[in-house]
Amino acid sequence: MKKYAVKIYGDPVLRKPVEPIDTFDESLEEFAADMVHAMIEHDGIGLAAPQVGVSKSFIVIGLPVNADDPDDRKIFTMANPEILEESEETVVMDEGCLSIPDITEEVERPEWIKLKFQDLKGEEYEIEADGIFARVIQHEIDHLDGVLFVDHLSPLKRTLLRGKLKRLHEDSKVRAEEA
Ligand code: NI
């Protein structure tokens, strides 16, 4: 098992567009398992490949399904996810991101989506999602386009966060030099 560190705001890989997944073999299964592990270890409910430094179109989601047991999750692994349709109706929810520690902000997004993706064998699925599931999927697919949730905030909110984001950026540069 490979242990991945989560890349932090300011790391250029978070802004780099991804390549599609075109090989569905054992190494993809291993990568998926490593990403699920990293997501759970960092206490996230979703993780996109660029966040572990891999510019590939791949996301994992771990939705809590039992309020009494946070470890009880439904895991999804999605290669080449793509949103096909979205509702006009939007909803505002608090969002955070493992790559932007200690910041949560309200983000407005479509309430419902229809998407397609491929599983670890390359089989294609089309599903609909709403609620927290739709929210996490949209957040993770944004990562594949180099988009972060803070990009959705109003200019005023972004200005208010500028100091915090700059510090994260500076920290990530220090970490890159140390690596
Ligand atoms: Ni994120």
Side-chain angles (χ1 to χ4, degrees):
M1 170 169 295
K2 190 166 176 205
K3 275 213 162 193
Y4 286 100
V6 173
K7 304 291 182 183
I8 302 299
Y9 184 87
D11 191 309
V13 75
L14 293 172
R15 296 302 195 180
K16 203 174 146 192
V18 294
E19 300 284 330
I21 299 274
D22 50 16
T23 311
F24 296 86
D25 59 5
E26 224 167 78
S27 70
L28 181 63
E29 281 176 29
E30 276 167 29
F31 179 59
D34 292 344
M35 272 191 60
V36 168
H37 184 82
M39 171 182 71
I40 289 172
E41 194 176 56
H42 292 90
D43 217 10
I45 56 172
L47 192 65
Q51 291 183 277
V52 294
V54 177
S55 295
K56 291 277 184 186
S57 184
F58 192 79
I59 64 175
V60 299
I61 291 169
L63 277 192
V65 287
N66 181 350
D68 296 325
D69 181 6
D71 292 332
D72 192 2
R73 297 153 173 257
K74 183 151 175 51
I75 301 287
F76 298 85
T77 54
M78 300 180 179
N80 306 319
E82 195 184 317
I83 291 174
L84 303 171
E85 274 180 58
E86 58 186 32
S87 62
E88 270 176 45
E89 197 183 323
T90 60
V91 58
V92 174
M93 279 191 205
D94 267 338
E95 276 187 43
C97 179
L98 293 179
S99 296
I100 310 178
D102 304 325
I103 295 178
T104 52
E105 288 290 339
E106 289 184 331
V107 179
E108 183 175 12
R109 294 186 189 268
E111 202 256 321
W112 170 93
I113 54 170
K114 183 182 190 181
L115 74 148
K116 65 173 186 178
F117 65 93
Q118 285 166 280
D119 70 7
L120 297 175
K121 304 238 178 294
E123 195 150 336
E124 204 166 288
Y125 295 85
E126 228 176 79
I127 62 166
E128 294 176 29
D130 60 9
I132 183 81
F133 190 33
R135 175 61 50 148
V136 181
I137 293 168
Q138 290 175 83
H139 177 113
E140 301 311 332
I141 289 180
D142 265 0
H143 275 298
L144 305 179
D145 297 323
V147 174
L148 301 171
F149 82 89
V150 289
D151 301 337
H152 290 282
L153 302 177
S154 67
L156 173 64
K157 273 204 171 153
R158 269 210 302 273
T159 303
L160 293 173
L161 283 177
R162 201 156 57 192
K164 275 188 183 176
L165 291 172
K166 201 169 162 228
R167 271 194 299 279
L168 284 176
H169 195 162
E170 294 301 323
D171 289 352
S172 82
K173 270 195 275 188
V174 172
R175 267 193 297 272
E177 279 161 19
E178 283 169 353

